Structures are given as structure tokens and as C-alpha cells.
Amino acid sequence: MSRLVIDSIGPASSVQDAGRPGAQRYGLPPSGAMDLLSLALANTLLGNAPFAAAIEIGPLGASVTAQDGAVRVAIAGAARTVELAGQPVIMPRSVMLKPGESLKLGAARGGVFSYLAIEGGIVGEPSFGSLAVHARAGLGSPYPRPLQSGDSIDAPDAAPCPDTTLTLPPTSDAPIRVVLGPQHDEFGDAVAVLLGSEWTVSAASDRMGYRLEGPTLTHQHGHNIVSDGTVNGSIQVPGNGQPIVLMPDRGTTGGYPKIATVISADLGRLAQIPPGCKFRFEAVEIATAQQHYRAMMRLIRALPSQLQPVRAAFDLEALHHANVAGIAVSALDD
Amino acid sequence: MTAPLAPPRILLSGDTAVTVEFGRTIDMAANQRVLALDRALSAQPIAGVRETVPTYRSLLVHYDPELIAFDELSAKLTTLAQAPPSTAANDARHWRIPVCYGGEHGIDLEPAAQKLGLAADELIRRHAAGHYQVAMIGFTPGWSYLSGLDPALALPRHQNPRLATPAGAVSIGGVQAGIQCLAGPSGWHLLGRTPVRTYQLQRTPVFLLEPGDTISFTPIDAKQFDELERAAAAGEQVAERIKP
């Protein structure tokens, strides 16, 4: 069997999939990818199921090398420089690493997380149906912790076949949409402050929560409530009035009022906003939010129909003329 | 005929979950309704519901909006929450949990007793004499929040939560009692430690306690703790299940 060896990797990088919902009643967070759409893109490029486990790579760079055989991988998510054996590769696309060849990823530019998927998926022992790493509970496979240099991931031998790319849905810097509640009535005028202000992602953000900096959101009845359940995207407001958007490694319950919830279709987009960057919120009705949810799931299911072979280098000019730049190519393709 | 139950509040928790709220305080009656709705959903599942998370005062219902929309689900939950309970609450399982109180295992026992104006032995006696129910499990895997604490033993949480507290801590926070499974931060008063793992990945069942289970505590000494701790580390439950 081939292996993908991690030569170097930055912090906040771990194996993730769609997570392990189903045991939140026992206090077990779901974990899973911060940006599910990018995970699905990387997997689709390899013919994997959209939410198969892949390597979630944090904001810094990484380098991986194929050993004992060829390994086909694909990369999607936050834009970064990618080099295969020293030659640039334009993402998103799949690419085959011959034994001994390395794929080098630079730091994220204008995003946070990228997903490195392996053809055939990652070999590991699922717990509660998932390989997703949740280090505090000792869960995740092949390593129940963030990845480190020297780690090795088994991979099926890559068969010779054309590499693929696909045209990305356009990225958007529109406001992050929320549904108000469950405790927006604890806040009064602070709801208008949430929706009318610019927010900055704090450097203290992680897979548990994105801490936001901006005007103080004032509680009308104090900041302690009797704990109730949380979801991915819950915007809880602790005593200092600075909101925290809960992410997949969140506690399953919490004792701070939750003013609103980021809609599912925008949570990955929020996860990709780097610390120090600003954004706004916009409230939508629940029916609208659920339409966006259904549209996102339809989009993910339709991704395989968008796959295109990576064009040969001489097609570059033609692709530019066809106004589809960004979907291909590297000088490596023969 | 009993009067129909008051309707719960249905609160939006984003586009894939809804909070069914029965009260805003720690209230046994609200918690009983939470647990009853949880049992009812387990007995008569609604298509599209993914999982439920009981808490003291509300039931969080996670669902798939491709299978059921918010309006339809909230109507069904409202109806179900007002129906008379179909499953008796008293089939709850009862567990006897061994606890080594005080000393290195319960560093807050003496100061907590002083604050309550009790001798340490009396605090142990009264804490262990309680009949508790798992009101909810949350925060971190296996952290079991218990209702049924003797109100005379209630103590406000520490001003500054400890960043590190041991696995198995048995503690008091406000009017709640708790059993924590994993080591981690806590602002609660640590009365003792149990060797019981409420969460143990290599064991079947992985999660020992269910919301609704009832609990009593059995004091053990440090030597018994060490023996049971070894057995628990090897995968034994070491909690005694009394019924059913």
C-alpha cells in the first residue's frame, strides 16, 4: 500500500470529515470539517464521496510526500501556492504524486482552511462512524490529534487516469446570514447592533469557536442562562459582550444567551475569514435559510457532473479566451 | 381528566435545529417534560429528526431541513409535548456510583463544608444520601448534570474557575450536582472523585449514563478508589446498576 507522509504541517491541521453527529446528548461534539463545501470539492475531484475524510490544513503551509507507491490527491479550499516536484499547480484539481514526489502547500492567502483529499479516502478506524479528530475526547483516526511532521497516512495505490478540475461556485463576500434566536429576546437593541456593525475575527479563534471583536452587545437580563443546547453557528454572547460563533468542536451545551445562528450555507464562508478581517451579518427568515440549505446540498450532489479533465498546457490560451480562467492547468500535464 | 399541559416555546436554533423550551430556570417539572418529550420522540420518531439533546429546561431537536421544514416540525413537536406521557418515567435505570470524598480527591470538601456551616463528614453524609437524576449530559463528553441536590448544599460557583480539574470529579455548582468524566476546566466545588468513567471509548457501552437515569453515591476510601480505578481503567463499569 502507498503512503502519504507528512513532511511538515502547520498547527490546526487534522483529519476531518462530516463529523460524528448522534452523540451530542452525551456531550460529544460533532466535530467535522470547518468548510464542508471545500471538503466536498476536494473529494469530488477524486471520485470520493463528498464528505469522505480528508486532511484539513490550517492557515500555515504543509508538505507531503508519496512513499511506497503513487498517491493521487486533490486540493481545494483556501487559495495557496501549490507545487508538485517544484512545479506550480493551480487549485482546485487532483494530482498524482509518484513515489518520492512531494506536494508543497504555501500559507493560505485570503482564507484559512484547505482540504487535501486522498483518492479512495483515508484509511482509519472510525469512532461513531467518523474519522474526524476531536483531540480532547481522544477521537479521530489514524491519529486522535492534530497532524504532525512524520505522520504517515495509508493510501490506495493510484491508478493511472486523467486528473480533474472543476469550476468553483463564485466566492462571495456578501454579509454572513443569520437566523435570529434562540435567545434574541434577551438582547433588545443589541440585535440591531449585531446586524448593523462591522465585526472582526479575533486571533483567539479556533475549531471550537470564532471570537468576534466589535461593539459591545449588552444583555438585558444578565449573561447567565440555564444551559441549553448549541449548534454549529450559534452566536453566543458572554459577559464581555463580544460574540463567539460556535464551530464544530464546540461544547454541546452552553450557559450564555445565543442571539442568533449563522445559517448552514454560510458557516463555511465564515470559517474561511482570517483573523483580523472584517465582515457583517444580515438576518434572514427561517424559510429562506432552509432554501439555502437545500440549495447547498443540491450543489454538493451536483459537483460530480461539473468535473472536467485537466487540459494540456497548450489549452491555456484557449481557456483564457473562453473566460474560464482559474480552472486549470500546469506545465506538468502531458 | 388532567388539564392539558401548557404548550412549550419553540425557539429557532438556526436552520437545522429547534429548541423546545419548557422553562427558563432549573426546575424539576420542566426537566421532567424535557425528558418525557425525549422519550416520546424516541418511541414515535418524526422523520427528518437527526438527534435530540435534553437539557434542564429544553430539548434541542436537530433535524434535516431537506426532509422536514421548520413549520411542520414545530407543529408536530408542540402536539407531542402536550400529549400525556406514554412511557413511564419510573423505568429509569438507577446507578450506585462510588465516590472517594475529600483529601487529594476532593480538595474543596473542607472549604465547602465551612462555607455551608457543616462538618466535612456531615457534608459527605448529606451529599451521599441524595437521590439524583441525570438532568442532562453536556459541555464535554460524559459531563453529567444532576438534579436532586439537597438545597441546603447549594454553593455558588468559584469566582475563578480552575483551568485543570481531575477526571471523575464529583462536585457541586450552584443548585446542581455533577459528575465530570474528562479532566478539564471547572468552576464547581470538588467534593470527591469517582473511578467510574461515564465516557470510555474502548468500553461497551461507550456512554454509561442516559439523561433520565437516577443516581446515588456510595462513599469509598482511598484504597478502594485505587482498586476500582485500576478495574475501570481496564474497561470495567465499576458502577452498580440497580434497576431495571
Side-chain angles (χ1 to χ4, degrees), chain B residues 1-6 82-85:
Chain B
M1 271 294 279
T2 50
L5 296 165
Q82 291 178 272

Side-chain angles (χ1 to χ4, degrees), chain B residues 72-85:
Chain B
E72 186 188 352
L73 179 62
S74 52
K76 286 188 169 171
L77 289 171
T78 303
T79 307
L80 202 53
Q82 291 178 272

Side-chain angles (χ1 to χ4, degrees), chain B residues 91-113:
Chain B
D91 330 330
R93 305 178 304 172
H94 183 78
W95 300 89
R96 242 181 235 157
I97 305 277
V99 181
C100 181
Y101 287 94
E104 60 168 320
H105 295 311
I107 56 174
D108 289 328
L109 178 73
E110 297 282 350

